[in-house]
Amino acid sequence: MPFDGYAIGGSLGKTKEQIFEMLSYTIPLLPADKPNHLLGIGDVFSIDQCIKLGIDTFDSSHPTRSARHGTLFTKNGLIKIGNSSMKHDFNSIEKECACFTCTHYTRAYLHHLFKAKEMTAYSLASIHNIYFMVQLMANYRAAILADEI
Ligand SMILES: [Zn+2]
């Protein structure tokens, strides 16, 4: 049917490889001029793979759920803010990040908030992870427009 776009979701496989294989089969069957949305996938590795397969948009609780569990996204991988190595780390989560959390608070302060189970910790961590994802997608958008993907 001529929908405005197509959502792909449900049980796509038990492993990421099976999901990518299913998308490789499914996406060529969909109209190329309509956006493809993938439900429930939000980790950086999978997003990278799925964009290359033709997925245009995503929705997932992964960035905020990870944040609430103290896992913060950086360009160099994940940070566990609850680790003892963060206790005296007075850097921001990510030096180049312009989000509210990184421009106002240190890893040590966030570590303290998580250890104290202070609700602000979950909000500040979510702000960073969502900002990270928005920047990540902006970079993909620029790369697509420059025909680099
Ligand atoms: Zn940040």
Side-chain angles (χ1 to χ4, degrees):
M1 296 183 68
F3 294 117
D4 294 331
Y6 296 86
I8 302 169
S11 179
L12 298 175
K14 293 180 179 174
T15 65
K16 288 181 181 180
E17 288 71 29
Q18 289 175 334
I19 292 171
F20 304 148
E21 184 180 342
M22 182 64 72
L23 292 174
S24 297
Y25 173 79
T26 304
I27 292 173
L29 301 174
L30 298 173
D33 62 336
K34 300 290 177 75
N36 299 317
H37 181 81
L38 186 61
L39 296 133
I41 299 294
D43 65 282
V44 172
F45 175 75
S46 295
I47 285 176
D48 182 69
Q49 297 299 305
C50 293
I51 286 174
K52 292 171 182 166
L53 292 171
I55 296 295
D56 299 296
T57 58
F58 301 85
D59 69 273
S60 173
S61 63
H62 182 69
T64 52
R65 187 182 33 199
S66 294
R68 290 192 306 274
H69 287 93
T71 301
L72 304 174
F73 302 165
T74 75
K75 291 175 184 166
N76 296 318
L78 303 176
I79 288 178
K80 299 281 192 181
I81 201 68
N83 285 356
S84 59
S85 63
M86 300 292 145
K87 188 173 185 177
H88 298 292
D89 188 336
F90 295 100
N91 296 298
S92 61
I93 299 168
E94 187 156 53
K95 191 180 288 184
E96 309 83 30
C97 183
C99 84
F100 178 82
T101 303
C102 288
T103 55
H104 289 85
Y105 301 104
T106 64
R107 293 177 177 186
Y109 183 63
L110 291 169
H111 172 87
H112 160 72
L113 293 177
F114 269 92
K115 290 299 179 187
K117 300 187 183 337
E118 170 60 48
M119 295 299 287
T120 308
Y122 314 125
S123 297
L124 291 173
S126 292
I127 288 169
H128 169 77
N129 277 2
I130 291 171
Y131 187 92
F132 178 90
M133 295 305 293
V134 169
Q135 296 304 308
L136 179 76
M137 297 312 287
N139 291 339
Y140 278 116
R141 201 165 25 254
I144 289 168
L145 290 172
D147 284 331
E148 295 169 359
I149 293 180

